[in-house]
Each structure stands twice: as structure tokens, then as C-alpha cells.
Amino acid sequence: MTTKRKAYVREMNANWWTKLGFYKAYMVREATAIPTVWFCLVLLYGLISLGNGTFATDFLTFLKNPLIVIFNLVSLVAMLYHAKTLFIMTPQVLDIMVKGEKLPVEKGAKIMWGITAVISVIVLALAL
């Protein structure tokens, strides 16, 4: 059945997400994928230079470039922001029950940061 009335189409601007803080934080969190790609490419270049035997010359010289240091620091900040938001959201989404009671969100986030710190110390100890 066809109708003569025109269908209602709600107007959607390209910047609709800038009106609410929740959406801004979501878009920033999703944008952390870009520095992650950068870091993955740096690691790939390191592996390639390790395989070619030019790790000490090419790759380390590449890492000493001030622009690369800045990109890597931006990547680190983006990953820390991503981890922070992940550690806040995960206990909210998962209903973790401890002795019949729901685990508080703050405590769940602290446990996840603690696990991350322990694993980081172990990896650092093994690397040294």
C-alpha cells in the first residue's frame, strides 16, 4: 500500500556526537585505535630489522628520532586512557559476584589495575 504522505526522516548532523559528554568520551576512546596502529607498525619495523640483522643500527636510530619519541608518547597516553576506560567499564558490564554480593565497580577497577601492575613488573623483570 502506498501513501501520499512523505516519510519522516530525522535530520542527523555529522557532529551529533559532540552534544553529549558520553559520546565525546566514546569517540575519543575509539580514536585510540589510531595510535595503536602506529605502535603496531613500529613493532613490525623492529621485527623486520631484527630479522634483517639491522636492529642495532636502523631500528634504534629510528627510535631516537624526536618525532618518533613524541608519537610513541602519544601512543602511550592513548593506551593508558583506553586501559582506564576499559577497567572502569568492565566491572560495570560484568556482574562479578563475591560471597553472594556484587563486586563494587571501584574495587573491580582497582583489582584490574593491580593485575596489570603485577604483570608489568614480571615482564620488566624478565626483560632485564
Side-chain angles (χ1 to χ4, degrees):
M1 176 177 183
T2 58
T3 179
K4 292 182 180 182
R5 294 187 339 178
K6 186 176 178 182
Y8 173 73
V9 178
R10 188 172 142 192
E11 184 179 331
M12 181 72 68
N13 295 330
N15 64 346
W16 62 268
W17 55 273
T18 61
K19 292 176 179 55
L20 287 174
F22 171 79
Y23 292 123
K24 287 180 193 176
Y26 175 78
M27 294 301 280
V28 169
R29 183 179 193 283
E30 292 301 308
T32 61
I34 297 167
T36 304
V37 169
W38 163 255
F39 188 70
C40 290
L41 290 173
V42 169
L43 286 179
L44 180 64
Y45 178 55
L47 284 173
I48 290 170
S49 19
L50 185 63
N52 292 338
T54 60
F55 184 81
T57 56
D58 292 347
F59 185 64
L60 294 180
T61 304
F62 171 74
L63 287 179
K64 290 177 185 176
N65 185 333
L67 191 60
I68 302 305
V69 171
I70 291 171
F71 284 161
N72 287 338
L73 287 175
V74 168
S75 180
L76 175 66
V77 169
M79 289 305 97
L80 289 174
Y81 177 75
H82 187 88
K84 177 185 174 236
T85 57
L86 176 73
F87 291 172
I88 290 171
M89 287 188 306
T90 301
Q92 290 175 346
V93 174
L94 297 177
D95 285 334
I96 302 171
M97 302 298 283
V98 178
K99 296 181 183 177
E101 294 183 14
K102 186 177 175 186
L103 184 70
V105 173
E106 297 82 21
K107 189 176 256 185
K110 288 179 184 176
I111 289 170
M112 292 177 77
W113 276 115
I115 292 170
T116 301
V118 168
I119 291 173
S120 297
V121 167
I122 291 170
V123 168
L124 185 62
L126 290 173
L128 296 176

